[in-house]
Amino acid sequence: MKKNSLEVIPLIDDFSQWLIESGKSDNTIKTYRAVLNQFHEWLLSEGKHLDQVTRNNVQTYMINLESNNKSASTIEKAFVTISVFARFLEKPEIVQNIERKQKEKNNEVVPESLEASERDRLLSEVKQQGNLRDIAIVYTLLHTGIRVSEICALNRKDVEINKSDGFLIIRNAKGSKKRFVPLSTEARNSLKKYIDSLDSNHEALFVSNFDRRMSARTVQYMLKKYNVNPHKLRHTFCHELVKKGIDIATVAELAGHSDVNVTKRYLKSSTRDLESAITQTFL
């Protein structure tokens, strides 16, 4: 390995830690590391550094992969990895409007979400358990669509609750305000009950049984009891908004999608629902 390649390895390690805190699986992290290391080695061969990557570097790398006869799936995996890395760097502009080889067939998977009956059953089960913290977490994830990393990063000061409305302040890694997400009546009520029950002065909104800020894995473990995961609740939120006719740009803003094409995946699911409704009505 070239001597210079050691200079930014800590950045990849920091990225891996960020992925862990975001609740990514070990296999996903291993894949992202491998792909990012390949991109890193290519950058070094071009006299560039990973911590100074630009949009032009990303576009050139996509062209390089295609010229080396890499499959569309391989190229897409590289692009997805770099996109996640760009989010980690808080530089979404480096992956915007990147042209790349398209898959021969459109195998894009519609994100899996909860049916209405499954959603009702989940809420009923978590309420029966009676844990105000868990109830607030489920309602917050289901009714705001925020990421598991974002809910774990929430502090009490990031929750604004009034008599008739409320919202969450989602911040970036540096603590600056990133976006505001309105709270539904149910989410607002569950959060208020939970906050009113707290007897500690912990800065974090959601705290574990060991009086520490909850981690993504702790939230995932809690939800596993109900056979769901944070991603499914986030997908349900986006799907429900699209199904209700909310425009894609608004859904993307609420979900914090930097690329509206990510949000457009939910259009397929919505179209399928409409077709099903027509079939059931006029069969």
Side-chain angles (χ1 to χ4, degrees):
M1 183 178 291
K2 296 180 181 180
K3 182 178 180 181
N4 286 343
S5 67
L6 294 173
E7 295 177 1
V8 292
I9 290 298
L11 184 60
I12 297 180
D13 290 338
D14 291 343
F15 175 56
S16 299
Q17 183 60 39
W18 180 78
L19 291 172
I20 291 173
E21 294 172 356
S22 299
K24 300 298 183 184
S25 69
D26 292 340
N27 285 337
T28 297
I29 295 172
K30 183 178 179 180
T31 298
Y32 281 175
R33 281 191 67 104
V35 174
L36 195 59
N37 270 309
Q38 291 173 353
F39 179 47
H40 163 60
E41 291 298 328
W42 177 83
L43 282 171
L44 288 175
S45 70
E46 296 290 309
K48 307 293 183 180
H49 293 273
L50 193 58
D51 55 351
Q52 298 174 334
V53 61
T54 66
R55 181 188 175 281
N56 184 58
N57 296 149
V58 177
Q59 183 63 82
T60 304
Y61 185 57
M62 295 297 111
I63 294 172
N64 176 266
L65 291 175
E66 185 171 354
S67 66
N68 284 303
N69 297 317
K70 299 297 183 181
S71 67
S73 296
T74 297
I75 294 173
E76 189 64 19
K77 182 168 66 174
F79 177 73
V80 168
T81 299
I82 296 171
S83 295
V84 176
F85 183 64
R87 193 162 72 236
F88 162 72
L89 294 176
E90 297 183 5
K91 294 181 178 179
E93 67 277 3
I94 67 175
V95 292
Q96 289 179 351
N97 303 315
I98 296 295
E99 296 181 5
R100 55 197 186 278
K101 186 177 182 180
Q102 298 299 310
K103 293 182 180 180
E104 291 75 11
K105 294 182 179 180
N106 189 357
N107 295 321
E108 188 174 12
V109 178
V110 176
E112 185 179 3
S113 59
L114 295 174
E115 298 290 342
S117 59
E118 295 175 317
R119 190 171 65 248
D120 293 342
R121 184 169 61 250
L122 167 63
L123 293 172
S124 176
E125 289 178 356
V126 74
K127 286 178 181 178
Q128 286 178 3
Q129 291 294 319
N131 187 307
L132 294 179
R133 182 200 65 185
D134 294 354
I135 294 172
I137 288 175
V138 169
Y139 265 112
T140 301
L141 289 172
L142 194 57
H143 286 201
T144 68
I146 63 176
R147 300 175 178 88
V148 65
S149 59
E150 292 173 334
I151 197 170
C152 291
L154 284 173
N155 290 325
R156 292 193 198 184
K157 67 179 182 180
D158 297 325
V159 183
E160 291 284 343
I161 297 178
N162 305 308
K163 287 185 177 180
S164 59
D165 60 15
F167 58 87
L168 298 179
I169 301 173
I170 307 301
R171 303 178 186 275
N172 59 27
K174 297 180 181 178
S176 301
K177 294 179 182 178
K178 188 176 181 181
R179 70 185 191 279
F180 295 87
V181 182
L183 292 169
S184 68
T185 300
E186 292 89 345
R188 191 168 68 246
N189 289 340
S190 65
L191 280 167
K192 187 176 187 307
K193 287 180 181 178
Y194 164 65
I195 292 173
D196 288 345
S197 73
L198 297 175
D199 56 6
S200 72
N201 295 318
H202 206 294
E203 176 187 42
L205 175 61
F206 292 112
V207 181
S208 72
N209 295 334
F210 301 100
D211 198 35
R212 297 176 182 174
R213 181 184 296 274
M214 289 187 73
S215 67
R217 291 192 175 185
T218 302
V219 174
Q220 289 176 322
Y221 181 77
M222 182 273 289
L223 292 175
K224 192 175 182 180
K225 295 186 297 184
Y226 306 103
N227 198 32
V228 294
N229 58 64
H231 299 298
K232 201 167 188 178
L233 300 186
R234 177 170 164 80
H235 295 328
T236 300
F237 169 79
C238 294
H239 173 246
E240 287 300 313
L241 290 182
V242 170
K243 192 166 69 171
K244 294 295 183 181
I246 306 301
D247 69 273
I248 288 295
T250 299
V251 178
E253 182 177 354
L254 288 171
H257 290 154
S258 58
D259 185 352
V260 74
N261 287 315
V262 174
T263 321
K264 287 181 179 179
R265 296 177 301 168
Y266 299 98
L267 287 174
K268 284 190 174 185
S269 181
S270 181
T271 301
R272 186 175 59 196
D273 290 340
L274 293 174
E275 292 173 348
S276 176
I278 294 294
T279 301
Q280 292 179 33
T281 303
F282 298 102
L283 184 62

